[in-house]
Amino acid sequence: MSAKVESQVSLKPYNSFGIDAEALHFAQARSDDDVRQLLAYAASEDLPVLVIGGGSNLLLTRDVTALVLRMNSSGIRVLSDDGERVVVEAEAGEPWHPFVQWTLEHGLAGLENLSLIPGTVGAAPMQNIGAYGVEIKDVFAGLTALDRQTGDLHEFSLEECEFAYRDSHFKRNPGRWIILRVRFALSRVGALHLDYGPVRQRLADQGITQPTARDVSEAICSIRAEKLPDPATLGNAGSFFKNPVVSAELAQCIRDQHPGVVAYPQADGRVKLAAGWLIEQAGWKGYRDGDAGVHRMQALVLVNYGQATGEQVHELAQKIQGDVLERFGVELEMEPNLY
Ligand code: EPU
């Protein structure tokens, strides 16, 4: 077997929360063959398998009594180019932001609003990553996944992925599929998405009136850097909760009492509320208990100041959920996967 299986490995460097949980066994897969061989090895040893990418959407609340298989494959290639529309394929282990940079350096628009999101290409479809008005479903052109039940490869179309807000077929069927590579339809003449939040304003402040995709990427990097902690210096998993979608009646009831509530009407008549606003109003922004806390600048982000355990972060999350439910009647759903 070409991939090396190690035992009793700390997962601290492999999860963006920086939680010091231990993997019973750990291996990195650099190819499809590595993945198949490691799955066969785990089956022969009767070991469960936990597949991870960048570990940026994961909260480890205990040691992992399994083989942790980290996707570490690399490769980016152009599959087709008609002069305007360019389909690019990237291996699952490619880190997301450098991949976005690669597309921009090649003059391709489409992923610029998703700049600086931590994690890997293979993890991106899991929760249909999104930011500043764009989700990967908007530029998705297909993916190849290994079916762990049959061992076969399957090519997924957009429809089959069942993408929704921070959700997908893969998230709803945990453990079934291993995403091996993902394809994106990008554009040399792409229309830019500038209407979400402060993007247009940030560009105007910089005196940019005819922005390129690279300008948009740089503006978004600067906006994110102001509000979101860098996992390299402060452990976190980005937004810890999804923005809840509630009935129009409940949204109105909250608005009556709190006219400042941040709310986005949805096509189906329901209303998406800014969870960060609810959590801040409930008084949790900047809260710290030991090394687990709520970020000072963005209440939607839970942080590990150093030695927090996953259980402590989870306990804090549950307290916030209980308090927001009591105050606003709104249930907050966690975004990261809990192990
Ligand atoms: N807000 C507060 N207090 C806070 C945080 C936010 O009042 O502490 C208010 C803001 O003032 C704003 C509104 O809530 O009016 C929305 O805030 P923001 O634009 O920062 O976005 P968000 O809804 O908190 C979502 C995504 C982010 C993504 C941004 C930008 C979710 C769960 N999160 O955050 O995604 O970067 O929009 O598009 O949908 C992630 O998923 O890890 C992530 C960072």
CSV table of all heavy atoms in Angstrom, one decimal, residues 130-133 165-166 196 224 227-228 237-239 241-243 262 264 274 276-277 280 285 297-300 335, ligand 1:
chain,number,residue,atom,x,y,z
A,130,GLY,N,-20.9,28.9,0.5
A,130,GLY,CA,-21.5,30.2,-0.1
A,130,GLY,C,-21.0,31.4,0.6
A,130,GLY,O,-20.7,31.3,1.8
A,131,ALA,N,-20.9,32.5,-0.1
A,131,ALA,CA,-20.6,33.8,0.5
A,131,ALA,C,-20.8,34.9,-0.4
A,131,ALA,O,-20.7,34.7,-1.6
A,131,ALA,CB,-19.1,33.8,1.0
A,132,TYR,N,-21.3,36.0,0.1
A,132,TYR,CA,-21.4,37.3,-0.7
A,132,TYR,C,-22.3,37.0,-1.9
A,132,TYR,O,-21.9,37.5,-3.0
A,132,TYR,CB,-20.1,37.9,-0.9
A,132,TYR,CG,-19.4,38.2,0.4
A,132,TYR,CD1,-18.4,37.4,0.9
A,132,TYR,CD2,-19.9,39.3,1.2
A,132,TYR,CE1,-17.9,37.6,2.2
A,132,TYR,CE2,-19.3,39.5,2.4
A,132,TYR,CZ,-18.4,38.6,2.9
A,132,TYR,OH,-17.9,38.9,4.2
A,133,GLY,N,-23.4,36.3,-1.7
A,133,GLY,CA,-24.4,36.2,-2.8
A,133,GLY,C,-24.1,35.1,-3.8
A,133,GLY,O,-24.8,35.0,-4.8
A,165,TYR,N,-29.3,25.7,0.7
A,165,TYR,CA,-28.5,26.5,1.6
A,165,TYR,C,-27.7,25.7,2.5
A,165,TYR,O,-28.3,25.0,3.4
A,165,TYR,CB,-29.5,27.5,2.3
A,165,TYR,CG,-28.8,28.3,3.4
A,165,TYR,CD1,-27.7,29.1,3.2
A,165,TYR,CD2,-29.3,28.2,4.7
A,165,TYR,CE1,-27.1,29.8,4.2
A,165,TYR,CE2,-28.7,28.9,5.8
A,165,TYR,CZ,-27.6,29.7,5.5
A,165,TYR,OH,-27.0,30.3,6.6
A,166,ARG,N,-26.4,25.7,2.4
A,166,ARG,CA,-25.5,24.9,3.3
A,166,ARG,C,-25.9,23.5,3.4
A,166,ARG,O,-25.8,22.8,4.4
A,166,ARG,CB,-25.4,25.5,4.7
A,166,ARG,CG,-24.8,26.9,4.8
A,166,ARG,CD,-23.3,26.9,4.4
A,166,ARG,NE,-22.7,28.2,4.7
A,166,ARG,CZ,-22.8,29.3,3.9
A,166,ARG,NH1,-23.4,29.2,2.8
A,166,ARG,NH2,-22.2,30.4,4.3
A,196,TYR,N,-24.3,41.9,-2.8
A,196,TYR,CA,-24.4,41.5,-1.4
A,196,TYR,C,-23.6,42.3,-0.5
A,196,TYR,O,-22.4,42.6,-0.6
A,196,TYR,CB,-23.9,40.0,-1.3
A,196,TYR,CG,-24.2,39.4,0.1
A,196,TYR,CD1,-25.2,38.6,0.3
A,196,TYR,CD2,-23.3,39.7,1.1
A,196,TYR,CE1,-25.5,38.0,1.6
A,196,TYR,CE2,-23.5,39.2,2.4
A,196,TYR,CZ,-24.6,38.3,2.6
A,196,TYR,OH,-24.8,37.8,3.8
A,224,ARG,N,-13.6,40.0,4.7
A,224,ARG,CA,-13.6,38.8,5.5
A,224,ARG,C,-12.6,38.9,6.6
A,224,ARG,O,-12.8,38.5,7.8
A,224,ARG,CB,-13.3,37.5,4.7
A,224,ARG,CG,-14.4,37.1,3.8
A,224,ARG,CD,-14.1,35.8,3.1
A,224,ARG,NE,-14.0,34.7,4.0
A,224,ARG,CZ,-15.0,33.8,4.2
A,224,ARG,NH1,-16.1,33.8,3.4
A,224,ARG,NH2,-14.9,32.8,5.0
A,227,LYS,N,-13.7,40.7,9.8
A,227,LYS,CA,-14.7,40.1,10.7
A,227,LYS,C,-14.4,38.7,11.1
A,227,LYS,O,-14.9,38.3,12.1
A,227,LYS,CB,-16.0,40.2,9.9
A,227,LYS,CG,-16.6,41.5,9.7
A,227,LYS,CD,-18.1,41.5,9.6
A,227,LYS,CE,-18.5,40.9,8.2
A,227,LYS,NZ,-19.9,41.2,7.9
A,228,LEU,N,-13.8,38.0,10.2
A,228,LEU,CA,-13.6,36.5,10.5
A,228,LEU,C,-12.2,36.2,10.9
A,228,LEU,O,-11.3,36.6,10.3
A,228,LEU,CB,-14.0,35.7,9.2
A,228,LEU,CG,-15.4,35.9,8.8
A,228,LEU,CD1,-15.6,35.3,7.4
A,228,LEU,CD2,-16.4,35.2,9.7
A,237,ALA,N,-14.4,27.4,13.0
A,237,ALA,CA,-14.9,26.7,11.8
A,237,ALA,C,-15.8,27.6,11.0
A,237,ALA,O,-16.8,27.2,10.5
A,237,ALA,CB,-15.6,25.4,12.3
A,238,GLY,N,-15.5,28.9,11.0
A,238,GLY,CA,-16.4,29.8,10.3
A,238,GLY,C,-17.7,30.0,11.0
A,238,GLY,O,-17.7,29.8,12.2
A,239,SER,N,-18.7,30.2,10.2
A,239,SER,CA,-20.1,30.3,10.9
A,239,SER,C,-20.4,29.0,11.6
A,239,SER,O,-20.3,27.9,11.0
A,239,SER,CB,-21.2,30.5,9.8
A,239,SER,OG,-21.0,31.7,9.2
A,241,PHE,N,-23.3,28.4,13.2
A,241,PHE,CA,-24.7,28.1,13.0
A,241,PHE,C,-25.2,28.6,11.6
A,241,PHE,O,-24.6,29.5,11.0
A,241,PHE,CB,-25.6,28.9,14.0
A,241,PHE,CG,-25.2,28.5,15.5
A,241,PHE,CD1,-24.5,29.4,16.2
A,241,PHE,CD2,-25.7,27.3,16.0
A,241,PHE,CE1,-24.1,29.1,17.5
A,241,PHE,CE2,-25.3,27.0,17.3
A,241,PHE,CZ,-24.6,27.9,18.1
A,242,LYS,N,-26.2,27.9,11.1
A,242,LYS,CA,-26.8,28.4,9.8
A,242,LYS,C,-27.7,29.6,10.1
A,242,LYS,O,-28.2,29.7,11.3
A,242,LYS,CB,-27.7,27.3,9.2
A,242,LYS,CG,-27.0,26.1,8.7
A,242,LYS,CD,-28.0,25.2,8.0
A,242,LYS,CE,-27.4,23.9,7.7
A,242,LYS,NZ,-28.4,23.0,7.0
A,243,ASN,N,-27.9,30.4,9.2
A,243,ASN,CA,-28.9,31.5,9.4
A,243,ASN,C,-30.3,30.8,9.3
A,243,ASN,O,-30.6,30.1,8.3
A,243,ASN,CB,-28.8,32.5,8.3
A,243,ASN,CG,-27.6,33.5,8.5
A,243,ASN,OD1,-27.2,33.7,9.7
A,243,ASN,ND2,-27.0,34.0,7.5
A,262,VAL,N,-32.2,41.7,11.5
A,262,VAL,CA,-31.7,41.6,10.1
A,262,VAL,C,-32.4,40.4,9.5
A,262,VAL,O,-32.3,39.3,10.0
A,262,VAL,CB,-30.2,41.4,10.1
A,262,VAL,CG1,-29.8,41.3,8.6
A,262,VAL,CG2,-29.5,42.6,10.7
A,264,TYR,N,-34.1,38.5,5.7
A,264,TYR,CA,-34.1,38.4,4.3
A,264,TYR,C,-35.3,37.6,3.9
A,264,TYR,O,-35.3,36.4,4.1
A,264,TYR,CB,-32.8,37.8,3.8
A,264,TYR,CG,-31.5,38.3,4.4
A,264,TYR,CD1,-31.0,37.6,5.5
A,264,TYR,CD2,-30.8,39.4,3.9
A,264,TYR,CE1,-29.8,38.0,6.1
A,264,TYR,CE2,-29.7,39.8,4.5
A,264,TYR,CZ,-29.1,39.1,5.6
A,264,TYR,OH,-27.9,39.5,6.2
A,274,ALA,N,-30.6,36.7,10.3
A,274,ALA,CA,-29.2,36.7,10.6
A,274,ALA,C,-28.9,36.2,12.0
A,274,ALA,O,-29.2,36.8,13.0
A,274,ALA,CB,-28.6,38.1,10.4
A,276,GLY,N,-26.2,35.8,13.5
A,276,GLY,CA,-25.2,36.6,14.2
A,276,GLY,C,-25.9,37.7,14.9
A,276,GLY,O,-25.5,38.1,16.0
A,277,TRP,N,-26.9,38.3,14.3
A,277,TRP,CA,-27.7,39.4,15.0
A,277,TRP,C,-28.4,38.9,16.2
A,277,TRP,O,-28.4,39.5,17.3
A,277,TRP,CB,-28.7,40.0,14.0
A,277,TRP,CG,-29.4,41.2,14.5
A,277,TRP,CD1,-29.0,42.5,14.4
A,277,TRP,CD2,-30.6,41.2,15.3
A,277,TRP,NE1,-29.9,43.3,15.0
A,277,TRP,CE2,-30.8,42.6,15.6
A,277,TRP,CE3,-31.4,40.2,15.7
A,277,TRP,CZ2,-32.0,43.0,16.3
A,277,TRP,CZ3,-32.6,40.6,16.5
A,277,TRP,CH2,-32.8,42.0,16.8
A,280,GLU,N,-25.9,38.1,18.9
A,280,GLU,CA,-25.4,39.4,19.5
A,280,GLU,C,-26.4,40.0,20.4
A,280,GLU,O,-26.1,40.5,21.5
A,280,GLU,CB,-25.0,40.4,18.4
A,280,GLU,CG,-24.4,41.7,19.0
A,280,GLU,CD,-23.9,42.6,17.9
A,280,GLU,OE1,-23.7,42.2,16.7
A,280,GLU,OE2,-23.6,43.8,18.3
A,285,LYS,N,-21.9,38.0,22.1
A,285,LYS,CA,-20.8,38.4,21.3
A,285,LYS,C,-19.6,38.7,22.2
A,285,LYS,O,-19.7,39.5,23.2
A,285,LYS,CB,-21.1,39.6,20.5
A,285,LYS,CG,-20.2,39.9,19.3
A,285,LYS,CD,-20.8,41.0,18.5
A,285,LYS,CE,-20.0,41.3,17.3
A,285,LYS,NZ,-20.7,42.2,16.3
A,297,MET,N,-15.9,40.0,16.9
A,297,MET,CA,-16.3,40.8,15.7
A,297,MET,C,-17.5,40.2,15.0
A,297,MET,O,-18.1,40.8,14.2
A,297,MET,CB,-15.2,40.9,14.7
A,297,MET,CG,-13.9,41.4,15.2
A,297,MET,SD,-14.1,43.1,15.8
A,297,MET,CE,-14.3,44.0,14.3
A,298,GLN,N,-17.8,38.9,15.2
A,298,GLN,CA,-18.8,38.2,14.5
A,298,GLN,C,-19.4,37.1,15.4
A,298,GLN,O,-18.7,36.1,15.6
A,298,GLN,CB,-18.2,37.6,13.2
A,298,GLN,CG,-18.9,36.6,12.4
A,298,GLN,CD,-20.3,36.9,12.0
A,298,GLN,OE1,-21.2,36.9,12.9
A,298,GLN,NE2,-20.6,37.1,10.7
A,299,ALA,N,-20.6,37.3,15.9
A,299,ALA,CA,-21.2,36.4,16.9
A,299,ALA,C,-21.5,35.1,16.4
A,299,ALA,O,-21.8,34.2,17.2
A,299,ALA,CB,-22.4,37.1,17.5
A,300,LEU,N,-21.5,34.9,15.1
A,300,LEU,CA,-21.8,33.6,14.5
A,300,LEU,C,-20.6,32.6,14.5
A,300,LEU,O,-20.8,31.4,14.2
A,300,LEU,CB,-22.2,33.8,13.0
A,300,LEU,CG,-23.1,32.8,12.3
A,300,LEU,CD1,-24.2,32.4,13.1
A,300,LEU,CD2,-23.6,33.4,11.0
A,335,GLU,N,-23.7,24.4,12.0
A,335,GLU,CA,-23.2,24.2,10.6
A,335,GLU,C,-22.2,23.1,10.5
A,335,GLU,O,-22.2,22.2,9.7
A,335,GLU,CB,-22.7,25.5,10.1
A,335,GLU,CG,-22.7,25.5,8.6
A,335,GLU,CD,-22.0,26.8,8.0
A,335,GLU,OE1,-22.8,27.8,7.9
A,335,GLU,OE2,-20.9,26.7,7.6
B,1,EPU,N1,-24.7,40.6,12.4
B,1,EPU,C1,-24.8,41.1,13.6
B,1,EPU,N2,-23.9,40.7,14.6
B,1,EPU,C2,-23.0,39.8,14.4
B,1,EPU,C3,-22.8,39.3,13.1
B,1,EPU,C4,-23.7,39.7,12.1
B,1,EPU,O1,-25.7,42.0,13.9
B,1,EPU,O2,-22.2,39.5,15.3
B,1,EPU,C5,-25.5,41.1,11.3
B,1,EPU,C6,-24.7,42.0,10.3
B,1,EPU,O3,-24.6,43.3,10.7
B,1,EPU,C7,-25.4,41.8,9.1
B,1,EPU,C8,-26.1,40.4,9.2
B,1,EPU,O4,-26.0,40.0,10.5
B,1,EPU,O5,-26.5,42.7,9.0
B,1,EPU,C9,-25.3,39.4,8.3
B,1,EPU,O6,-24.0,39.4,8.7
B,1,EPU,P1,-22.8,39.0,7.6
B,1,EPU,O7,-23.0,39.7,6.3
B,1,EPU,O8,-21.5,39.0,8.3
B,1,EPU,O9,-23.1,37.5,7.2
B,1,EPU,P2,-23.7,36.3,8.0
B,1,EPU,O10,-25.1,36.1,7.7
B,1,EPU,O11,-23.3,36.4,9.5
B,1,EPU,C10,-23.2,34.6,6.1
B,1,EPU,C11,-22.5,33.2,5.9
B,1,EPU,C12,-21.0,33.4,5.9
B,1,EPU,C13,-20.6,34.3,4.8
B,1,EPU,C14,-21.3,35.7,4.9
B,1,EPU,C15,-21.2,36.6,3.7
B,1,EPU,C16,-24.0,31.6,7.0
B,1,EPU,C17,-24.2,30.7,8.1
B,1,EPU,N3,-22.9,32.3,7.0
B,1,EPU,O12,-22.8,35.1,7.4
B,1,EPU,O13,-20.4,32.1,5.7
B,1,EPU,O14,-19.2,34.5,4.7
B,1,EPU,O15,-22.8,35.4,5.0
B,1,EPU,O16,-21.9,36.0,2.6
B,1,EPU,O17,-24.7,31.6,6.0
B,1,EPU,C18,-19.5,30.2,6.8
B,1,EPU,O18,-20.4,29.6,6.4
B,1,EPU,O19,-18.6,29.7,7.5
B,1,EPU,C19,-19.4,31.6,6.5
B,1,EPU,C20,-18.4,32.4,7.1
